[in-house]
Amino acid sequence: MELDKIDRNILVILQRNNRIANVELAEEVGLSPPACHKRVKRLRDDNIIVGDVALVNPELSGNKLTLLVSVEMERDRKDVYDAFKHVISKANEVRHCYQITGGYDFMMVVTVPDIQAYESFVDRVLHTEANIRKFQTSVSLRTVKSSTEIHLKE
């Protein structure tokens, strides 16, 4: 689907506040409310907007420790990768998991309350996965930037 300038403006605004009233959104992008509503509906129907979520303060979870975990698999095979992805998708501690290139096969962002909870995660998830050759953990000292916004090219 081709996005014009108005579509892009709608998406920028909705990424910052998807609870904005349609009348206010329409005014900001220079459309009538019915035309704006129709555009937003089309963006949803065409899977440009793929979901609406509430971003909850992460401190409420009690997860004060963020770890970056690099994982190298034993073999370079699709079935090995798929099995790992299946296991990781069920681990609540894993906030993000990326299949990557380079020296490691996966990079995960893991959040836990403390180091004991991380040890439990490692024992329950990583040490039971026979196809992991090795993993490396880095501890995040602080969050420098965290955003859910997608930059849209002009």
Side-chain angles (χ1 to χ4, degrees), residues 82-137:
D82 288 346
F84 178 74
K85 289 187 270 188
H86 179 73
V87 167
I88 289 306
S89 69
K90 294 181 178 186
N92 291 331
E93 297 90 344
V94 178
R95 300 262 326 268
H96 304 278
C97 181
Y98 304 96
Q99 190 169 349
I100 61 173
T101 62
Y104 289 93
D105 299 303
F106 293 92
M107 172 66 74
M108 299 183 297
V109 177
V110 175
T111 59
V112 290
D114 52 39
I115 199 65
Q116 292 79 17
Y118 180 64
E119 287 178 311
S120 175
F121 164 77
V122 167
D123 288 344
R124 189 182 81 253
V125 178
L126 300 181
H127 283 162
T128 59
E129 190 58 36
N131 288 308
I132 292 178
R133 176 177 291 149
K134 68 179 181 178
F135 64 92
Q136 176 181 318
T137 304

Side-chain angles (χ1 to χ4, degrees), residues 52-99:
D52 294 286
V53 298
L55 299 176
V56 178
N57 183 338
E59 291 182 17
L60 293 175
S61 72
N63 291 336
K64 298 185 184 309
L65 192 58
T66 299
L67 305 118
L68 305 173
V69 183
S70 305
V71 178
E72 182 181 344
M73 304 307 287
E74 194 65 48
R75 292 174 209 84
D76 229 4
R77 288 193 350 227
K78 183 180 182 331
D79 61 325
V80 169
Y81 288 176
D82 288 346
F84 178 74
K85 289 187 270 188
H86 179 73
V87 167
I88 289 306
S89 69
K90 294 181 178 186
N92 291 331
E93 297 90 344
V94 178
R95 300 262 326 268
H96 304 278
C97 181
Y98 304 96
Q99 190 169 349

Side-chain angles (χ1 to χ4, degrees), residues 19-78:
R19 293 179 52 133
I20 188 172
N22 182 59
V23 172
E24 190 178 338
L25 178 61
E27 185 176 313
E28 283 196 42
V29 297
L31 291 175
S32 69
C36 184
H37 184 268
K38 188 175 182 180
R39 284 208 186 218
V40 171
K41 182 179 181 338
R42 190 189 78 230
L43 291 168
R44 292 182 194 287
D45 291 346
D46 290 346
N47 282 327
I48 304 299
I49 298 174
V50 295
D52 294 286
V53 298
L55 299 176
V56 178
N57 183 338
E59 291 182 17
L60 293 175
S61 72
N63 291 336
K64 298 185 184 309
L65 192 58
T66 299
L67 305 118
L68 305 173
V69 183
S70 305
V71 178
E72 182 181 344
M73 304 307 287
E74 194 65 48
R75 292 174 209 84
D76 229 4
R77 288 193 350 227
K78 183 180 182 331

